[in-house]
Amino acid sequence: MSNGDIFVGEVIGTAILILFGAGVVAAVVLNYSKAKDAGWVVIAFGWGFGVMAGAYTAAPLSGGHLNPAVTLGIAVDTGEWDTVHVYVAGQMVGAMLGALLCWLVYYAQFEANAEEDISQPTLGIFSTTPAIRRPVANLVTEIIATMGLVLPILAFGLTEGLGESGTAILIVSFLVVGIGLSLGGPTGYAINPARDLGPRIVHALLPIPRKGTSDWGYAWVPVVGPLIGGALSGLVFNAAF
C-alpha cells in the first residue's frame, strides 16, 4: 500500500465511521429528530455499523485501521513504524470531515437550539463526556476499554481466513457494539483518539447555536487513554502470542 492509498483510505473510512457514529447520537438526543430518545442500545449499534461501513470501505486501500490506537498497537507489536504518521493524519482528517457531514445532515435540528426554549448541549454528539468526572478513573476506563478492542483485533489476525474473507471486519463491528454496551457507561467509550479529538475540534469551530462548551479540560483523557491502551495491547500481544 502506498502512502497516498493509506491516507485516502483512512480519510474516507474514518469519515464514514464518524458520520454514522455521531449521526446516531444526534438522532437519539436532538430535539425534533424522528429517533429522539431511542436509547443507548441504538447508539451502540449505530457506532458498530459505522465501524463496519468505514472499515469495509477503507480496507482495500489502507486495511481500515480508522483508529490511532489500533495503528499504534500494530506498530508496537510488529515494530513497523514507517506509515504510522500517514495513518494518523488520515484518521484525523477523516474524523473532522465526518463530524462536519453529521452537522450538515442534522443542520435543522442543530439550528432548533436557537428557537423557543429547547437549548441543549451538543458536545456529546461529537465527542465523549464522562458520566462522573474523575480524570484518573476515566483514564483507566478508556485504557481498559481500548485494550478490549485492540487486543482482539490483533488476535483476529492469527485466525487463518478471517482477513481474506473479510469476516474480521464484521466481527470487529460487533466487538465495538459489545464494548459500548458493556464498558461505555462511564465515559462514552471513545477508544479512539481521532474519533474524539477530530469532532471536538469541529464542534469548537462550527457555528452551532447555544452549543455549550467543547470541554477542552477533559479532552486529553479520550486521547491519552486509548493511546496507552493501544500500546499496552501491542506489548501484551507480542509477549503472549
Side-chain angles (χ1 to χ4, degrees):
M1 294 179 287
S2 69
N3 284 352
D5 285 343
I6 291 171
F7 181 79
V8 171
E10 292 297 296
V11 168
I12 294 173
T14 309
I16 292 172
L17 162 63
I18 300 301
L19 173 61
F20 277 46
V24 72
V25 181
V28 170
V29 305
L30 283 176
N31 292 304
Y32 301 119
S33 165
K34 291 182 179 294
K36 173 73 172 174
D37 295 327
W40 186 254
V41 173
V42 170
I43 289 175
F45 273 94
W47 275 105
F49 290 141
V51 170
M52 181 174 65
Y56 272 123
T57 304
L61 290 173
S62 65
H65 293 190
L66 315 186
N67 183 341
V70 172
T71 301
L72 179 60
I74 293 172
V76 169
D77 173 44
T78 64
E80 298 177 2
W81 294 86
D82 292 347
T83 58
V84 167
H85 66 290
V86 182
Y87 274 99
V88 174
Q91 291 154 4
M92 281 297 298
V93 172
M96 295 176 71
L97 176 59
L100 177 62
L101 293 173
C102 172
W103 173 66
L104 291 173
V105 170
Y106 284 93
Y107 181 84
Q109 283 72 28
F110 282 115
E111 286 295 299
N113 275 326
E115 301 172 3
E116 303 174 11
D117 189 24
I118 58 172
S119 178
Q120 59 188 134
T122 56
L123 178 61
I125 294 168
F126 294 88
S127 298
T128 59
T129 56
I132 299 175
R133 184 178 294 267
R134 294 185 180 177
V136 174
N138 302 147
L139 183 69
V140 170
T141 296
E142 286 293 333
I143 292 171
I144 294 172
T146 305
M147 291 185 73
L149 172 69
V150 178
L151 261 178
I153 287 176
L154 295 174
F156 294 157
L158 298 179
T159 303
E160 186 176 353
L162 278 183
E164 294 179 1
S165 67
T167 310
I169 291 175
L170 180 61
I171 295 173
V172 171
S173 303
F174 281 108
L175 173 62
V176 171
V177 174
I179 292 171
L181 295 176
S182 299
L183 307 176
T187 61
Y189 71 115
I191 60 175
N192 181 339
R195 167 264 178 277
D196 197 274
L197 180 58
R200 195 181 297 268
I201 293 171
V202 171
H203 177 266
L205 296 175
L206 283 175
I208 303 172
R210 302 185 186 181
K211 64 183 176 182
T213 177
S214 297
D215 197 6
W216 289 106
Y218 179 76
W220 67 275
V221 173
V223 172
V224 174
L227 289 177
I228 293 174
L232 289 176
S233 296
L235 291 171
V236 171
F237 183 81
N238 187 271
F241 295 90

